[in-house]
Amino acid sequence: MIERHKDYLYRTAFLYSGNEDAAMEIVQETVLKGFRSIKQLREPELFRTWITRILINVSKDYYRHEYHFAQSFDEEAQYPSEGVSAEERLDLYEAIKRLPEKYRTVVILKYFDGMKQEEVAYVMGIPRGSVSAYLTRAKRELRKYLKEGYLDE
């Protein structure tokens, strides 16, 4: 199951960390924690959502402890976005990085990982209404950050 979701896990970890080395460490820790607690997974069809919840928690721990992310999106994501230049993608990553953690999480899970709001709510352990509110606020903040960035030039 991990093999099937490895690209997804790496991409999500990369979006959180902003660099390849940190993303690899997060994925490794996620797999290890998932392996140790696999018996807690009651419904195997929810594996992706379950492992994502672990990945989010590992990412948060990574921020809090000795590691401290470099938080630079200098390294391009390996998942190109059609119709978006590399510069625009970097601007977006920088804007996402500036969001409060709860907003950043909903944006990554919803728009980069393609989760439904119900899944995001489960992964984050919050009500679905909160996910909707966080998405609205995150989009407002992103518009502000991106607009500021282009006006500063």
Side-chain angles (χ1 to χ4, degrees):
M1 291 172 97
I2 291 292
E3 185 65 31
R4 188 174 339 147
H5 297 290
K6 70 180 179 183
D7 291 339
Y8 160 78
L9 292 171
Y10 174 78
R11 182 181 66 242
T12 303
F14 181 85
L15 288 166
Y16 267 91
S17 65
N19 79 47
E20 292 179 15
D21 293 334
M24 292 302 292
E25 286 184 43
I26 290 169
V27 170
Q28 288 173 350
E29 183 67 19
T30 298
V31 170
L32 181 62
K33 286 186 178 209
F35 181 75
R36 288 180 179 159
S37 60
I38 192 71
K39 290 180 182 177
Q40 295 174 356
L41 178 62
R42 291 178 180 86
E43 300 177 49
E45 62 274 2
L46 296 177
F47 175 80
R48 180 177 165 175
T49 305
W50 175 79
I51 199 75
T52 301
R53 189 174 203 164
I54 294 172
L55 185 124
I56 298 299
N57 289 328
V58 168
S59 295
K60 288 177 183 179
D61 289 345
Y62 197 88
Y63 273 113
R64 280 187 220 123
H65 292 96
E66 62 199 72
Y67 309 106
H68 299 290
F69 288 121
Q71 288 195 354
S72 67
F73 283 99
D74 295 335
E75 304 162 14
E76 281 288 327
Q78 295 179 354
Y79 305 93
S81 302
E82 293 182 25
V84 178
S85 72
E87 183 176 306
E88 290 170 326
R89 210 169 28 254
L90 288 174
D91 289 343
L92 178 60
Y93 292 158
E94 283 298 319
I96 290 170
K97 184 172 70 172
R98 293 173 63 183
L99 290 173
E101 184 179 316
K102 60 187 177 184
Y103 297 168
R104 183 174 54 244
T105 300
V106 296
V107 166
I108 290 170
L109 295 177
K110 172 76 173 137
Y111 296 110
F112 288 86
D113 294 342
M115 288 188 172
K116 296 177 183 169
Q117 288 190 13
E118 294 79 15
E119 293 172 309
V120 174
Y122 173 78
V123 167
M124 294 181 68
I126 60 174
R128 186 197 172 284
S130 295
V131 172
S132 182
Y134 291 175
L135 284 170
T136 300
R137 292 176 194 147
K139 286 189 268 187
R140 187 178 325 128
E141 290 294 311
L142 287 172
R143 275 190 216 101
K144 183 177 79 175
Y145 294 150
L146 291 171
K147 186 176 180 181
E148 286 174 2
Y150 287 105
L151 291 176
D152 292 341
E153 293 177 357

